[in-house]
Amino acid sequence: MLSIGEFSKICRVSTKTLRYYDEIGLIKPDEINSETGYRYYSIKQLKNILFINRLKSYHFSLDEIKELKDIMELDKGQFEEILYSKLKLKKLEMENKLKSLEYSLNQLNNDISNIQNNIPIMSYLDNIKVELVDTEAMNILYVRKTMTKEDFFDGYGSYFGKLYERIALERLTPVGKPMTIYHNSEFNHDGNDLEFAIPIKETVDGTRILPGGLCAKSVLKGSFTELSALYIKLSEWVEENGYELTKSPYEVYIVNPNQVESSDELVTEVFFSIKKK
């Protein structure tokens, strides 16, 4: 048996952290002296600490690690399968974060270069084009949800996936690209009212008509992180040209994010429904 200090020294985890792990049930001492209250750990528990540290290095939360540990203790047969699935999901999360970081680094280098060449940092807004278009009414198959900004990208795959699954099962006919309609009057960190939709030919349960009409339209070629710039440019253009919004804005995804290697390949159209003031 090892004292908490010896255990701490070997596994390079502070005694404070070990006490916290005990408190939350992540790893408990094998023995506690009833008279002194001293904690003692067994050599075999060093492996448990290595497992915890490994998952922490993959950015698993302590709650996620405890959940896996509980599964391992209750059902060792299912544990490997569940662990595999969790690791795959975490890998995808990390890859997405890495792509986002790489994009931000490239953007930062570009801004540094522009400033060195006396080009204003926000000059890219001048390159965003806005055009007036008349849109046709569309019959859309939709699902409407309230979700946070952080949940959106998971929602994109999940809800569009369910819509396409229904289209395939019921042999419906898609006639347009997937879109998201934003119903909130303002951005809300706690949750936004979003509608995921796909235009289809048939009128079935779960479809509605998205009215057509005059729209201000802009096109983004690149990462979704730049969409805010399009919304700002469209809002300025609408105001400067004497228009006002009439319905919720929406985005149309011309290129599927799941089918590109780089965010630079993405193409997204943004529509503001408008009328003259």
Side-chain angles (χ1 to χ4, degrees), residues 141 162-174 198-200:
L141 181 67
K162 288 175 182 175
L163 289 172
Y164 276 116
E165 184 179 341
R166 183 178 171 192
I167 286 171
L169 287 172
E170 299 182 20
R171 298 184 179 181
L172 304 174
T173 313
I198 298 169
I200 64 170

Side-chain angles (χ1 to χ4, degrees), residues 3 6 18 25 42 75 84 90 95 110 123 180 216 218 259 272:
S3 70
E6 292 169 328
L18 288 172
S42 63
D75 192 342
Y84 175 80
K90 194 61 68 174
E95 286 173 345
N110 187 58
S123 61
T180 303
S218 192
Q259 295 177 342
F272 276 23

Side-chain angles (χ1 to χ4, degrees), residues 7 21 38 44 46 68 82 86 90 97 106 145-146 154 173 185 187 207-208 210 212 231 256:
F7 193 76
Y21 286 175
Y38 290 165
K44 67 181 181 182
L46 289 169
L68 281 168
I82 293 171
K86 296 282 188 183
K90 194 61 68 174
K97 287 178 182 177
N106 290 334
K145 295 288 179 181
T146 298
D154 290 335
T173 313
S185 57
F187 180 78
T207 59
R208 74 176 183 90
L210 179 68
Y231 276 77
N256 187 333

Side-chain angles (χ1 to χ4, degrees), residues 3 138 154 172 194 197 221 243 267:
S3 70
M138 290 181 279
D154 290 335
L172 304 174
L194 305 178
K221 295 181 180 178
Y243 291 94
V267 179

Side-chain angles (χ1 to χ4, degrees), residues 236-247:
E236 289 179 347
W237 187 94
V238 167
E239 177 66 25
E240 290 169 1
N241 288 274
Y243 291 94
E244 61 183 359
L245 297 180
T246 58
K247 293 185 287 292

